[in-house]
Amino acid sequence: MKNYFKLFTLVLCIGIFSCSSSDDSDDGGGGGGGGLDPQATYRITFTTNFTDTTHPTDYPANASFGRVFLAAHSPGSSIFTLGGVASDGLKKYAEDGDLADLVAEHSGGEDNNTMNIITGGSSVGTSTTITYDINVTPTTTRISFVSKISPSPDWFVGVSSFDLVIGNELVESASVRLYPLDAGSDSGTTYESPDSPEPGPISQIEGTPFSSGTIESTQVGTLSIERIDN
């Protein structure tokens, strides 16, 4: 089946495209539905583009992305919300790269049967591609993704609650631009800033050190979503 769709833009997080072009969204429509296949498999491809050539301002030594957190979950669940307050688990991951608390927050309880979580085994390079295959069901039609930017005070890239359903059918493919996000737990403004706790909301980093020009130039990667079981 072929579905061509367009998702709305969520301010300051990720920009939107149709299925055949790049798509940035932090939220979507309803998700789930009686007419959906009982299970589908999606290939999630994380492509990074964060080098001293693409982002030369104050580029840090030993830059990398942290171990990936990827989940297929219900529309009622959320990993983060732009403008909202990061959970304790997300703060710890964004600051220290430790995924344990973030995974624990979304394991068990009400979400035990409605969230499929995959975690990467190691950090990810700054100019590379890595893929993950994840299964979704009619009750787990949202995709969320997080990867820490290292080194940084509390910065990360992420997609929250990307809706795989348009109308009453699963999308075939989409591409989401990834921009640097600030978890809002430290106030540092450079990659090597020391810890300086100052609670604030999750926000997109629009300028330095990622860019001294356009917001678009701050892009550090892409998340591609492709259905592979049909």
Side-chain angles (χ1 to χ4, degrees):
M1 62 184 164
K2 300 291 184 180
N3 295 292
Y4 296 94
F5 67 101
K6 188 172 290 184
L7 300 176
F8 62 83
T9 302
L10 180 59
V11 176
L12 298 181
C13 187
I14 35 186
I16 293 291
F17 313 179
S18 67
C19 289
S20 60
S21 60
S22 289
D23 198 336
D24 293 18
S25 173
D26 195 51
D27 200 3
L36 298 180
D37 294 337
Q39 180 170 296
T41 303
Y42 280 84
R43 178 154 295 160
I44 311 299
T45 302
F46 178 30
T47 301
T48 63
N49 187 28
F50 175 50
T51 69
D52 56 359
T53 299
T54 60
H55 299 78
T57 303
D58 193 32
Y59 189 78
N62 302 315
S64 68
F65 290 90
R67 293 174 54 206
V68 163
F69 175 96
L70 174 66
H73 57 86
S74 67
S77 301
S78 178
I79 308 304
F80 70 89
T81 302
L82 194 68
V85 177
S87 67
D88 289 342
L90 180 57
K91 290 177 182 177
K92 185 173 181 61
Y93 175 59
E95 291 182 10
D96 304 328
D98 186 344
L99 273 175
D101 288 357
L102 183 60
V103 171
E105 285 177 346
H106 299 286
S107 300
E110 294 181 2
D111 283 338
N112 190 40
N113 296 317
T114 57
M115 185 169 290
N116 179 14
I117 297 174
I118 293 175
T119 57
S122 61
S123 60
V124 180
T126 57
S127 182
T128 190
T129 296
I130 188 167
T131 63
Y132 305 89
D133 292 348
I134 192 165
N135 293 327
V136 304
T137 69
T139 60
T140 58
T141 55
R142 299 293 180 94
I143 292 291
S144 290
F145 162 88
V146 176
S147 182
K148 172 180 170 56
I149 297 172
S150 294
S152 75
D154 60 344
W155 303 340
F156 67 101
V157 293
V159 174
S160 185
S161 297
F162 185 94
D163 196 348
L164 295 172
V165 180
I166 297 299
N168 199 36
E169 295 183 338
L170 292 168
V171 303
E172 294 296 323
S173 64
S175 181
V176 183
R177 294 175 179 173
L178 299 174
Y179 299 105
L181 303 176
D182 187 329
S185 57
D186 273 339
S187 62
T189 58
T190 66
Y191 297 106
E192 302 284 359
S193 292
D195 289 344
S196 179
E198 186 175 328
I202 298 171
S203 60
Q204 182 179 331
I205 302 172
E206 300 181 36
T208 57
F210 292 92
S211 172
S212 57
T214 65
I215 291 177
E216 287 75 13
S217 65
T218 65
Q219 182 179 348
V220 293
T222 304
L223 196 73
S224 299
I225 301 168
E226 180 184 10
R227 186 173 180 182
I228 60 173
D229 63 309
N230 59 0

